Amino acid sequence: MQKFALLHERLHGLGLFHNNPPHPPSHFADSQVDTMDYIAMAHDAAYIEAFRQDDFTVQARRKLGLPWSPGLMQRTFTAVRGTMLTADLALEFGLAGHLAGGTHHAHHAEARGFCIFNDLAVTARYALSRPDVERVLILDCDVHQGDGTARILSNDPNALTVSVHCRANYPFDKAESDYDIEVEKGCSSKEYLRLLDAYWPLLLDRHQPDLVLYDAGADVHREDALGLLELDDAAIFKRDTHVIEACLDRRIPIACVIGGGYMKNLKRLAEVHGIVHQAAFRLFQQYFE
Ligand SMILES: [Zn+2]
């Protein structure tokens, strides 16, 4: 998918990459351990194998909605690994951002809605396996509900799922997250931010997580082909700033992933996906430099 390369280009153009990136972090998922073993913390072993071998049934292929290719396989594993790395970087430096991630429709043994492995659920389980993490909170602000994440983590008391999504949008068989905040089709920037600001600080204070995973979906944008909401660039910048700031004010590390975005104009889409990185970069300078 071209949007990832365009996002990378966009962030370079904005000068958002550190000259000396703090990379790799001192604690990173043991590189000797196969990424597959981490993915198996949240997915069925036979399902993982079926994907690797391009052995999905016709029905499973239809639910995924993407053609299999070696490139798709490589991108899928790389993106999950990237979310894990982002979580490690956040735990070390306070704040980190991934240029992919947010495949929140993937279920335990089923691909859905362009999502094969659920990087958020995998990373939550991975982070919880670290001795310094007792509770992870996932805030999913993609316009679609994080149904796969909610179902995979439904019995994990230490992995809390919060989904802010459009009620009228996919998926139509909604899951039950720990918190579902539903907005109506056509929701304005003002109303969206009012809801977020009403709930987000309270949720952080109530649950005091050791790590937040934030899905900053770009498909809430008014120009998005699948979104149904009315947020503009400025509102997304405010959303991302408010989400991250509330964590940093409480010294809670936050790892950001980009989530969904379906504008036809990919250059424009890369700009909107890059908003979370701009917000994060500014706050990183403000809080840590
Ligand atoms: Zn989405």
Side-chain angles (χ1 to χ4, degrees):
M1 287 172 76
Q2 226 187 332
K3 77 172 184 178
F4 299 107
L6 288 169
L7 174 58
H8 185 259
E9 213 171 88
R10 165 79 176 157
L11 298 186
H12 254 296
L14 290 168
L16 294 197
F17 284 103
H18 268 275
N19 291 329
N20 296 304
H23 180 285
S26 54
H27 183 296
F28 180 44
D30 187 346
S31 54
Q32 301 304 309
V33 179
D34 203 299
T35 305
M36 235 78 71
D37 293 338
Y38 290 113
I39 290 175
M41 294 170 107
H43 289 281
D44 177 71
Y47 165 71
I48 299 170
E49 205 44 38
F51 173 65
R52 283 182 60 184
Q53 306 293 335
D54 183 21
D55 198 21
F56 276 6
T57 62
V58 174
Q59 198 199 15
R61 266 175 234 277
R62 197 175 306 129
K63 281 193 170 171
L64 166 60
L66 291 172
W68 191 93
S69 68
L72 176 70
M73 186 162 77
Q74 193 191 0
R75 153 163 103 71
T76 299
F77 286 111
T78 304
V80 174
R81 191 80 177 190
T83 302
M84 292 164 57
L85 171 61
T86 308
D88 280 332
L89 284 166
L91 286 161
E92 184 152 348
F93 298 100
L95 168 61
H98 188 9
L99 274 63
T103 42
H104 60 170
H105 299 308
H107 283 60
H108 176 68
E110 192 175 272
R112 283 195 205 172
F114 317 126
C115 301
I116 297 147
F117 298 129
N118 194 310
D119 60 312
L120 296 164
V122 169
T123 302
R125 290 255 171 89
Y126 160 65
L128 287 168
S129 75
R130 286 182 48 147
D132 52 346
V133 177
E134 279 182 22
R135 193 172 305 130
V136 175
L137 193 155
I138 298 169
L139 174 65
D140 188 334
C141 285
D142 187 286
V143 79
H144 305 101
Q145 190 200 34
D147 57 339
T149 321
R151 290 202 177 99
I152 292 172
L153 298 174
S154 63
N155 293 320
D156 290 36
N158 293 321
L160 292 148
T161 53
V162 182
S163 180
V164 184
H165 55 265
C166 176
R167 192 163 64 91
N169 217 321
Y170 176 94
F172 304 107
D173 55 333
K174 299 273 191 297
E176 205 174 303
S177 314
D178 291 300
Y179 296 91
D180 284 299
I181 300 168
E182 299 201 307
V183 302
E184 299 301 329
K185 184 179 168 180
C187 179
S188 67
S189 295
K190 199 176 157 194
E191 173 63 7
Y192 187 97
L193 292 169
R194 190 193 65 76
L195 268 173
L196 185 73
D197 292 342
Y199 284 101
W200 182 230
L202 290 179
L203 288 171
L204 286 177
D205 288 337
R206 179 181 292 176
H207 296 289
Q208 301 183 12
D210 302 302
L211 173 69
V212 166
L213 305 179
Y214 173 43
D215 182 338
D219 46 13
V220 293
H221 199 281
R222 57 164 55 161
E223 292 162 36
D224 194 87
L226 305 179
L228 306 180
L229 304 187
E230 290 295 326
L231 278 73
D232 56 16
D233 289 31
I236 293 178
F237 186 80
K238 275 190 194 161
R239 175 195 72 172
D240 297 340
T241 298
H242 293 191
V243 166
I244 297 168
E245 216 167 29
C247 290
L248 301 185
D249 280 343
R250 291 163 177 77
R251 298 177 190 278
I252 298 170
I254 172 167
C256 310
V257 303
I258 68 167
Y262 306 95
M263 285 180 185
K264 295 276 184 294
N265 180 339
L266 294 182
K267 212 170 155 230
R268 181 80 187 100
L269 176 59
E271 283 172 16
V272 177
H273 273 309
I275 292 174
V276 65
H277 304 285
Q278 285 176 271
F281 191 81
R282 218 175 66 156
L283 290 166
F284 192 88
Q285 287 180 316
Q286 199 180 313
Y287 279 78
F288 300 111
E289 285 182 355

